[in-house]
Amino acid sequence: MFDVQQRTVRDLRRGNRAIVLRALYFEGPASRQELSETIGLSPATVSNVTGDLLASGIIVEAGLADSDGGRPRVLLRVNTTHGYAVGVDVGETHVRVELFDLDMNRQARAEYALRPTGHDVDQVVRHILAGIDVVLGESGVPRERVLGVGVGVPGVVETGPDALIHAPTFGWDAVPLGRLLRAGTDLPLFVDNGAKSMGQAELWFGVGRRARHAVVVLIGSGVGASIITDGATYLGANSSAGEWGHTKIMVGGHRCRCGGEGCLEAYVGARGILERAGVWTETVDEQAELAALVAAGSPVIDETVTYLGVGLANLINLFNPERIIIGGWAGVLLGEHLLTRIRKVVADNCLAQPYKTVSIGLGRLGVDSVALGAATLVIEDLLQANPAARPNGLSPRPRNRAGI
């Protein structure tokens, strides 16, 4: 009975800490009184929790609030230099490694090119580990100040200590990326699908902020989506939800890199668009070639708008989101020139009622969105973890993501 009571008290304290810390992270600075009124905890509880957080250095005092005649109130905020997070974007053509402070300001960056047809896992691992060393060296941040490394990858990420990756477009089948990375670094690792990582970044810092129901689509060389339901990322039974690029849009259509036929990715992903336009994709600059097709008003781009609009209409009919956010370099490129036409196709192929309540816009986080999203995996753990469980203030928690 005593052990049960101890666990209950400990869990209650941990929960209160998470509530206070999340409030300060997303809505701060705030005084203790404002925190109590906003989150519904008693002033005594808020005082105890903030005292512990101040002692650990996770939060700091940030001046005084304007007084209405009473005693001045001390403002509190998250200490942005308490720790740092590494975010890694494993893309079709690059491995991008970035270091962020707790305000998600980028401190350093390293990038390594990948051949579109070459995704050797050992090479990818070497690039990630080398990139970690580079960004720490350039920034001067000591390794012990790094709270963890988040990695965004294509495909399905299987939960578990090995973080098995199933990415047919990379030729990866149950690749134990977590185990391979852990052999080269002792930093805490968090691995998730790149589109889901980008979706979390848009939800926290981008145009998805405060949305309860949204879909963030990533369109680059490949295609994916992050489905937000009631403010949380929908993962499905084994974390494979959001493989929008592999929904079928044409029976017996173009062959997709996953091995199937008629996948949406084969029609709206940059690689598929270029191949339909007769561009040899093995050695070209995909971004430059796609921009040239858009500027020339290629008929293939007109087709792409139709396929993309229908694909988005399917998402709206299925999930009834309040927002659709188009991200990824190819998605933003298409949207910047063709968003009005895309919306028209969506309206023509969508049920009227859900279309009336949805907004369709572009992501604003730019090329760093996946790396930024991957770094939020580390911050998410910090905001809910037990600071005593790891020397750097982190501890693993039950989650349907690969936290290693």
Side-chain angles (χ1 to χ4, degrees), residues 73-94:
R73 299 172 184 170
V74 176
L75 293 175
L76 304 172
R77 65 169 174 82
V78 171
N79 179 6
T80 59
T81 60
H82 169 73
Y84 297 83
V86 175
V88 180
D89 172 13
V90 179
E92 298 276 350
T93 59
H94 63 262

Side-chain angles (χ1 to χ4, degrees), residues 85-89 148-152 188-192 370-371 373-378:
V86 175
V88 180
D89 172 13
V149 178
V151 184
L189 295 170
F190 303 87
V191 184
D192 204 353
V370 174
T376 68
L377 303 177
V378 180

Side-chain angles (χ1 to χ4, degrees), residues 56-284:
S56 66
I58 299 177
I59 67 173
V60 293
E61 295 183 350
L64 301 176
D66 292 336
S67 174
D68 55 1
R71 183 177 180 181
R73 299 172 184 170
V74 176
L75 293 175
L76 304 172
R77 65 169 174 82
V78 171
N79 179 6
T80 59
T81 60
H82 169 73
Y84 297 83
V86 175
V88 180
D89 172 13
V90 179
E92 298 276 350
T93 59
H94 63 262
V95 172
R96 183 176 295 130
V97 183
E98 303 190 3
L99 180 71
F100 300 91
D101 64 18
L102 294 189
D103 250 354
M104 306 314 286
N105 297 311
R106 190 176 70 201
Q107 306 297 303
R109 175 179 175 178
E111 186 164 336
Y112 306 89
L114 294 174
R115 290 185 299 105
T117 56
H119 298 98
D120 177 71
V121 66
D122 291 332
Q123 182 185 45
V124 169
V125 169
R126 286 195 300 271
H127 286 333
I128 293 173
L129 296 175
I132 293 171
D133 290 337
V134 169
V135 297
L136 294 184
E138 287 186 356
S139 65
V141 171
R143 187 171 291 266
E144 60 268 19
R145 298 288 299 283
V146 178
L147 303 176
V149 178
V151 184
V153 295
V156 177
V157 180
E158 188 174 330
T159 303
D162 287 342
L164 300 179
I165 312 299
H166 305 269
T169 57
F170 270 30
W172 290 6
D173 181 19
V175 167
L177 184 62
R179 173 159 51 85
L180 295 172
L181 287 172
R182 202 166 53 244
T185 182
D186 59 357
L187 293 171
L189 295 170
F190 303 87
V191 184
D192 204 353
N193 172 269
K196 292 185 178 70
S197 299
M198 186 189 78
Q200 180 153 294
E202 286 288 354
L203 194 67
W204 281 18
F205 308 112
V207 293
R209 188 167 168 80
R210 303 188 188 283
R212 302 299 300 171
H213 304 279
V215 179
V216 183
V217 300
L218 186 156
I219 307 174
S221 297
V223 175
S226 177
I227 302 161
I228 311 300
T229 61
D230 199 24
T233 303
Y234 176 69
L235 302 177
N238 59 5
S239 299
S240 71
E243 288 294 328
W244 177 56
H246 301 292
T247 57
K248 305 300 181 183
I249 201 167
M250 185 74 68
V251 175
H254 291 291
R255 180 163 290 278
C256 178
R257 293 178 301 157
C258 74
E261 294 180 344
C263 294
L264 180 67
E265 181 174 304
Y267 293 85
V268 306
R271 186 76 55 81
I273 296 171
L274 295 176
E275 289 177 351
R276 288 180 14 251
V279 177
W280 179 252
T281 60
E282 300 303 320
T283 57
V284 301

